[in-house]
Amino acid sequence: MKIYNKRYIAAIALSLVLAGCKAPMATVIKDEVKENVPQNFNQEEQGDANNNSGTTPWRQFFTDPNLVSLIETALKNNQELMITLQEIEIAKSGVLAKKGRLTPTVSAGIGAGVSKVGRYTSEGAGDASTEIEPGKEMPDPLGNFEGGLTANWEVDIWKKLRTEKESAIAHYLSTVEGKNFVLSNLIEEIADNYYELLALDNQLDIIQQYTKLQQRALEISKIQKEAAAATELAVKKFEAELAKSKATEYTIRQEITEKENEINALCGRFPQPIVRSKEDFMSMIPQTVYTGIPSQLLANRPDIKQAELELKAAKLDVEAARKEFYPTLEISTTLGLEAFKPSYLVKLPESMAASLAGELAGPLINKSAIKANFQTADARQIQTLYEYDKTILNAYLDVANLMSKVKNIDQYYKLKSDETKALEQSIDIANQLFRNSRADYLEVLLNQRDALDAKMELVEAKQKQLSTVVDIYKSLGGGWK
């Protein structure tokens, strides 16, 4: 009858454990944005999967040797890149830590102690009546000396530890893609700032030429005033315009200094001159960019691959958190020598001590912490999905916007070039008429100002033309290879 009672109690206990270990279901997420990526960036033009500038290595895409040298320096010294590399090392250590939990933990140790128990206790009475050897009683107080090995192992019966290791691997791989994205951004920043610096150099040349033009115009106005062909007002207007152009020159010089230092900061070095050649800037022809098809962004852009791996890690974290509701099986064992006197430690097998224990335990009551951990992981995987979808959508929109910008900036540059040529001719005409007293000084000033603005805007258009090509190259996933 007692045997049946024991079996009945054991069955009830097992049922309670299994019932208490019931795990909730994770939210099933569906990636609709990835599935619905359009086949082309532009409805009017169909992309070619065999031509994609995003797969071109940056050394082949950039041909200016000075720019290439700057990029190489930045890749060696940039602090943000160095920080990202350490994040990779941290993630790699996380993988090793999760992998280590799959194997038993073995430790070695030695110990010594002494204890004295009451004579009129069961333990004390037993020790007093025990003879180690004929005529020798147990010593009092009783010492204890031990040394040996201890092993503990959590058996991965539900593959929870393996799931955590896979999550750590996915996170590690995402940090590698994060490093690639930093590389891509860094190269884009170096190139954009380099072209902006060349544009400032050319604008400085234009304002210096304009200053000389105003100097000549001022001299002519003074001569005409002496000949009573112009008034003091004309002289003062040209003097004011000359002062304004000189002030603009110092503003541009400051912008050049700041832009140089911005590039130096990206290169991880103290301020120094940036080697460059400004003479060929206006004749630079932007490279032709081939966009391929939108689905190639998923494989080319590091930020999309990083977000995808983070989503994979988040899903695995949910799975691991769900398995926390299940029982865990832990096995512990010890093997060593133990005696109450050091000289007895070498007496074998009497001094040998060993133990082996296994424990299967699962949460039963008050599982709020486990539930909270699971709910947090479940919410985080949904959040990570939204981040992944947002990354894909933004990547597609970046390329679509930049494709349109490339076409429009090309047309803008052509029209600005025509405007500049026309205003250059009008300046010569206005000056000739002014010298012959057939045009007012205001006409000369307005023509010169319009020509200056057109030239400055033409330089900006060239810079935007070159930078837009760099931006679309990066948006296609280029730069990190």
Side-chain angles (χ1 to χ4, degrees):
M1 189 68 178
K2 291 182 179 180
I3 295 176
Y4 287 114
N5 287 337
K6 290 181 180 179
R7 290 179 179 177
Y8 183 68
I9 293 172
I12 293 176
L14 182 60
S15 300
L16 288 173
V17 170
L18 294 176
C21 296
K22 184 179 180 181
M25 297 301 296
T27 303
V28 179
I29 58 177
K30 186 178 181 182
D31 189 8
E32 296 181 355
V33 173
K34 179 180 178 181
E35 295 175 356
N36 297 323
V37 173
Q39 295 183 352
N40 297 293
F41 290 106
N42 193 327
Q43 294 180 354
E44 300 175 359
E45 299 180 7
Q46 189 168 356
D48 183 3
N50 296 321
N51 287 323
N52 191 322
S53 297
T55 59
T56 304
W58 68 266
R59 291 180 183 275
Q60 297 178 16
F61 189 82
F62 298 105
T63 57
D64 187 329
N66 294 323
L67 176 57
V68 170
S69 177
L70 287 173
I71 293 175
E72 289 176 342
T73 302
L75 294 181
K76 293 178 183 177
N77 302 329
N78 183 262
Q79 282 81 14
E80 185 177 353
L81 181 58
M82 299 299 107
I83 292 171
T84 305
L85 292 177
Q86 295 310 306
E87 290 178 358
I88 293 176
E89 293 300 317
I90 293 171
K92 187 187 296 184
S93 299
V95 174
L96 294 176
K98 296 297 182 182
K99 185 178 180 181
R101 292 187 60 190
L102 289 168
T103 56
T105 301
V106 180
S107 58
I110 57 175
V114 64
S115 63
K116 178 176 175 57
V117 297
R119 174 67 178 80
Y120 299 111
T121 62
S122 60
E123 186 177 352
D127 291 344
S129 62
T130 301
E131 289 187 355
I132 305 303
E133 294 179 3
K136 291 185 178 181
E137 297 180 354
M138 292 281 284
D140 188 20
L142 186 65
N144 185 60
F145 301 91
E146 60 182 355
L149 302 175
T150 301
N152 294 284
W153 183 32
E154 181 181 346
V155 184
D156 195 20
I157 54 177
W158 309 110
K159 295 186 178 180
K160 181 190 74 172
L161 300 180
R162 288 181 177 85
T163 302
E164 291 178 350
K165 187 191 77 170
E166 291 174 5
S167 174
I169 292 173
H171 179 66
Y172 162 72
L173 294 175
S174 77
T175 59
V176 174
E177 295 299 338
K179 180 265 297 182
N180 293 337
F181 188 57
V182 171
L183 281 175
S184 186
N185 281 335
L186 177 60
I187 291 172
E188 179 199 29
E189 284 188 77
I190 290 288
D192 283 344
N193 282 285
Y194 179 76
Y195 291 137
E196 288 177 18
L197 182 59
L198 293 181
L200 288 170
D201 288 338
N202 281 265
Q203 287 180 333
L204 181 61
D205 289 344
I206 291 172
I207 201 67
Q208 288 175 339
Q209 294 171 6
Y210 182 72
T211 300
K212 292 179 181 178
L213 182 64
Q214 292 306 312
Q215 186 69 50
R216 288 196 299 268
L218 176 61
E219 293 171 356
I220 293 172
S221 66
K222 289 180 178 179
I223 294 172
Q224 287 188 329
K225 178 194 171 186
E226 292 175 359
T231 64
E232 180 68 16
L233 180 61
V235 174
K236 294 302 180 183
K237 282 288 186 181
F238 281 114
E239 285 180 351
E241 192 67 20
L242 178 61
K244 180 182 177 181
S245 62
K246 287 182 177 180
T248 303
E249 178 180 343
Y250 286 106
T251 300
I252 295 176
R253 288 185 183 277
Q254 178 61 27
E255 291 177 356
I256 289 174
T257 299
E258 292 177 0
K259 189 59 64 177
E260 282 186 318
N261 288 338
E262 190 172 345
I263 295 174
N264 283 319
L266 291 172
C267 292
R269 63 190 186 187
F270 288 103
Q272 58 182 272
I274 301 298
V275 179
R276 58 194 185 271
S277 178
K278 63 182 179 180
E279 289 75 16
D280 300 330
F281 176 70
M282 295 304 295
S283 60
M284 286 183 179
I285 300 175
Q287 289 201 24
T288 302
V289 178
Y290 301 97
T291 59
I293 57 177
S295 60
Q296 291 177 322
L297 291 175
L298 304 177
N300 292 341
R301 280 191 55 141
D303 57 334
I304 294 181
K305 292 194 286 184
Q306 181 184 19
E308 184 177 16
L309 287 165
E310 286 295 337
L311 178 59
K312 179 181 178 181
K315 291 180 178 178
L316 291 168
D317 287 340
V318 174
E319 186 179 345
R322 186 171 182 270
K323 291 174 180 178
E324 290 287 347
F325 289 91
Y326 300 154
T328 57
L329 174 60
E330 294 187 0
I331 298 175
S332 61
T333 180
T334 59
L335 177 63
L337 303 175
E338 186 175 13
F340 61 82
K341 192 175 181 181
S343 60
Y344 288 158
L345 286 174
V346 295
K347 292 187 176 183
L348 300 175
E350 289 83 0
S351 62
M352 288 190 63
S355 67
L356 177 65
E359 182 182 30
L360 181 66
L364 186 61
I365 301 175
N366 191 13
K367 297 182 289 185
S368 56
I370 300 176
K371 289 179 180 178
N373 184 45
F374 171 77
Q375 291 169 357
T376 300
D378 193 44
R380 186 169 287 121
Q381 75 155 341
I382 298 173
Q383 182 186 52
T384 309
L385 173 65
Y386 293 147
E387 291 287 346
Y388 178 52
D389 290 343
K390 185 178 74 172
T391 305
I392 294 176
L393 183 60
N394 288 341
Y396 178 87
L397 293 176
D398 282 347
V399 177
N401 289 337
L402 289 169
M403 285 176 61
S404 175
K405 187 176 180 180
V406 165
K407 295 178 182 179
N408 291 328
I409 199 68
D410 286 345
Q411 295 299 320
Y412 177 81
Y413 180 80
K414 290 177 183 178
L415 293 173
K416 276 295 173 183
S417 181
D418 294 340
E419 179 188 2
T420 302
K421 291 177 182 177
L423 288 172
E424 279 283 349
Q425 295 172 357
S426 71
I427 287 178
D428 294 335
I429 296 171
N431 286 335
Q432 187 174 359
L433 291 173
F434 180 67
R435 283 193 295 269
N436 295 326
S437 301
R438 296 178 60 188
D440 187 73
Y441 68 91
L442 288 176
E443 295 180 79
V444 176
L445 275 177
L446 290 174
N447 271 281
Q448 290 175 348
R449 287 177 182 175
D450 290 344
L452 173 65
D453 291 340
K455 287 180 180 179
M456 301 289 267
E457 290 171 358
L458 182 64
V459 172
E460 289 179 0
K462 172 58 70 174
Q463 178 263 315
K464 289 179 180 178
Q465 195 180 41
L466 294 169
S467 293
T468 302
V469 171
V470 174
D471 294 343
I472 196 171
Y473 171 64
K474 176 251 181 181
S475 295
L476 290 170
W480 60 273
K481 295 183 180 179

